[in-house]
Amino acid sequence: MSPQNGQMYVLRSATGVVADVDHSNTAPGTKIQGWSPNGSKAQSWVFWAKDNGSWLLETGLTHGTHGPGQAMVLDYDFTNFRAHLVKEHGQANQLWRLEDAGDGYVRLKSLRTEGGDAYLTADGGGSFLGVWRSAPGNDAQRWRLEGVAGSGQGGQGGQQPQPQPQPQPGGGGSAVEQMLNLVNQERAKVGLPGLVLDGGLCAAAQRQSDDMARNNFLGHVGSDGSDFSRRFKDAGVQSTSGSENAATGSDVRGTMDMWMRSEGHRNNILGRDYRRFGAAFAPGSGGRWTQTFAN
């Protein structure tokens, strides 16, 4: 099945176990394990749609109780490939794509691809969920999304408590899609090919927008000391050249016009070597936009 934004589901493996937060603990690093179904909030997950076609999964334990940037989500430790609970940060190892696995099942593929394609795997009752290489015939990598009673299943999702609320300017499509269209319009004016939206670049942009909004600054060095090339790498983006634009504000057109009046930002938008594009908005501190570019 295809999830609905803001709706809550139980993730049940074809092996019979469900994705469970160990001891209902919301501390960072808490094990996400396979466990027998018991109907608790520790076994429910809210699916939040991302602009790049992926999903961020918030535990039902924090749903509606944590403010922006504070929700705890399904993440995996890239050093041991085990799933755990971490405060959202928008990097690729917190983002998942759903692939049809037949008979009403899906496979959850991590957006982090540095070690190759990897899928959420139920290693057994009481064990960490793993994130392992593709094994299409393995029931441990097949999951069914079961609606949670009382979650408003089938209706409109509630207010998303973690990042990705988008500004609502006029025009069709999401704000990121509108930003991409404006970028490609400017490139077409000077005879340059259009850029294509890239999930990893969007994840890197969201990380910086969230950081700037949360910590009330504007710049290209994150509060963790990262520059855009490090954020690209963390998001699984492979490139030999890239750049980043950052701005304060919420309006898509106004932000784009401001960048086009600035020589350095305009040069990034019209970069001849670039073929891929990412963008993200985060509210707070007046709003923060980030654009990312790569060849």
Side-chain angles (χ1 to χ4, degrees):
M1 66 174 294
S2 179
Q4 296 188 34
N5 184 44
Q7 297 301 312
M8 189 177 293
Y9 301 87
V10 171
L11 285 173
R12 185 191 296 265
S13 165
T15 64
V17 300
V18 301
D20 175 280
V21 178
D22 189 25
H23 288 89
S24 298
N25 187 352
T26 59
T30 297
K31 176 172 69 173
I32 299 174
Q33 61 189 354
W35 202 255
S36 299
N38 59 26
S40 71
K41 282 190 175 182
Q43 298 183 351
S44 61
W45 300 90
V46 184
F47 277 62
W48 296 116
K50 310 299 284 187
D51 275 320
N52 54 19
S54 63
W55 298 87
L56 186 142
L57 278 59
E58 178 197 1
T59 173
L61 295 167
T62 65
H63 180 47
T65 66
H66 286 52
Q70 302 299 314
M72 303 301 290
V73 303
L74 175 62
D75 184 296
Y76 82 94
D77 185 341
F78 196 61
T79 65
N80 61 20
F81 305 99
R82 301 294 188 180
H84 59 185
L85 205 61
V86 174
K87 185 164 67 175
E88 62 82 13
H89 53 58
Q91 297 178 42
N93 46 313
Q94 293 187 343
L95 300 174
W96 307 86
R97 283 208 176 96
L98 274 59
E99 297 180 351
D100 184 12
D103 299 323
Y105 287 93
V106 296
R107 298 203 302 161
L108 277 73
K109 179 182 178 181
S110 171
L111 241 62
R112 183 159 187 167
T113 58
E114 291 165 64
D117 291 346
Y119 294 80
L120 189 67
T121 306
D123 282 345
S127 299
F128 272 98
L129 298 186
V131 184
W132 305 120
R133 291 290 185 89
S134 175
N138 186 356
D139 277 348
Q141 290 187 347
R142 300 173 69 230
W143 298 88
R144 189 186 299 276
L145 277 59
E146 299 179 347
V148 175
S151 71
Q153 193 65 35
Q156 293 296 316
Q159 179 64 37
Q160 183 170 346
Q162 23 76 16
Q164 200 65 13
Q166 295 289 345
Q168 298 298 321
S174 73
V176 168
E177 291 170 333
Q178 291 177 50
M179 184 68 79
L180 173 63
N181 289 337
L182 292 176
V183 165
N184 284 340
Q185 287 173 23
E186 295 296 339
R187 291 176 65 86
K189 291 177 184 178
V190 295
L192 292 172
L195 305 179
V196 296
L197 200 63
D198 181 274
L201 287 174
C202 285
Q206 192 69 60
R207 174 178 170 183
Q208 184 64 359
S209 286
D210 290 342
D211 189 10
M212 291 189 295
R214 185 182 305 120
N215 295 294
N216 193 20
F217 74 96
L218 179 66
H220 299 290
V221 177
S223 62
D224 60 358
S226 64
D227 59 11
F228 75 83
S229 61
R230 174 55 187 271
R231 293 188 289 272
F232 283 16
K233 181 179 179 181
D234 288 346
V237 175
Q238 297 182 355
S239 66
T240 56
S241 65
S243 60
E244 179 184 81
N245 287 341
T248 299
S250 60
D251 179 68
V252 178
R253 170 65 73 174
T255 302
M256 184 65 182
D257 289 347
M258 180 197 66
W259 275 326
M260 288 302 294
R261 291 193 297 268
S262 166
E263 181 179 1
H265 297 101
R266 184 173 63 251
N267 288 343
N268 288 338
I269 291 167
L270 302 179
R272 292 184 176 274
D273 293 336
Y274 298 146
R275 294 294 180 268
R276 293 177 288 158
F277 174 79
F281 172 80
S285 303
R288 293 292 189 272
W289 268 103
T290 305
Q291 289 181 333
T292 46
F293 305 85
N295 61 356

